[in-house]
């Protein structure tokens, strides 16, 4: 009998294993911007980008990694007064699409 087949909940199922990479390389970049304006207004923006490559045991070829986080960021416009602050925030997240 094939070792990748087993009986689960009354049905014959096949097991698939995702093997770990031999090596992974990641690079992370997080640029930011802060601007203070007159009359108590300020603008803050941050954005995070990750890029990764993984080397599988298929001859050393580097492939895009499926373990990196999607790009994301945050922008906020704030108004500051003596005893209080009002912030308007916008979160930005890149849609993650699996390449499997």
């Amino acid at each position: 009998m094939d070792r990748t087949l087993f009986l689960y909940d009354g049905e014959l199922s096949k097991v698939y294993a995702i093997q770990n990479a031999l090596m992974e390389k990641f690079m992370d970049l997080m640029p930011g911007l802060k601007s203070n304006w007159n009359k108590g207004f300020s603008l803050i923006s941050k954005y995070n980008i990750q890029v990764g490559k993984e080397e599988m045991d298929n001859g050393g070829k580097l492939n895009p990694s499926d373990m990196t986080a999607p790009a994301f960021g945050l922008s906020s416009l704030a108004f500051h007064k003596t005893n209080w602050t009002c912030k308007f925030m916008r979160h930005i997240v890149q849609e993650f699409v699996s390449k499997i």
Side-chain angles (χ1 to χ4, degrees), residues 4-88:
T4 61
L5 296 174
F6 69 100
L7 196 60
Y8 177 77
D9 200 20
E11 289 187 35
L12 197 58
S13 302
K14 187 169 180 97
V15 176
Y16 293 94
I18 298 175
Q19 301 296 319
N20 290 334
L22 290 176
M23 179 179 58
E24 299 224 7
K25 296 178 183 179
F26 291 97
M27 186 172 62
D28 185 38
L29 176 66
M30 187 171 184
L33 169 73
K34 181 177 183 179
S35 177
N36 292 319
W37 302 328
N38 294 355
K39 311 284 186 192
F41 284 98
S42 67
L43 174 70
I44 299 172
S45 290
K46 298 176 184 176
Y47 196 67
N48 188 331
I49 302 168
Q50 290 184 6
V51 178
K53 298 278 185 185
E54 61 186 20
E55 181 182 337
M56 303 301 282
D57 55 1
N58 61 357
K61 183 180 176 187
L62 291 176
N63 300 315
S65 176
D66 58 351
M67 301 300 287
T68 56
F72 62 92
L74 170 74
S75 290
S76 68
L77 176 65
F79 178 72
H80 309 280
K81 203 64 170 167
T82 306
N83 293 328
W84 59 276
T85 299
C86 180
K87 285 187 180 181
F88 300 96

Side-chain angles (χ1 to χ4, degrees), residues 65-71 93-100:
S65 176
D66 58 351
M67 301 300 287
T68 56
V93 178
Q94 176 186 351
E95 186 70 28
F96 178 72
V97 179
S98 177
K99 295 181 174 94
I100 296 177

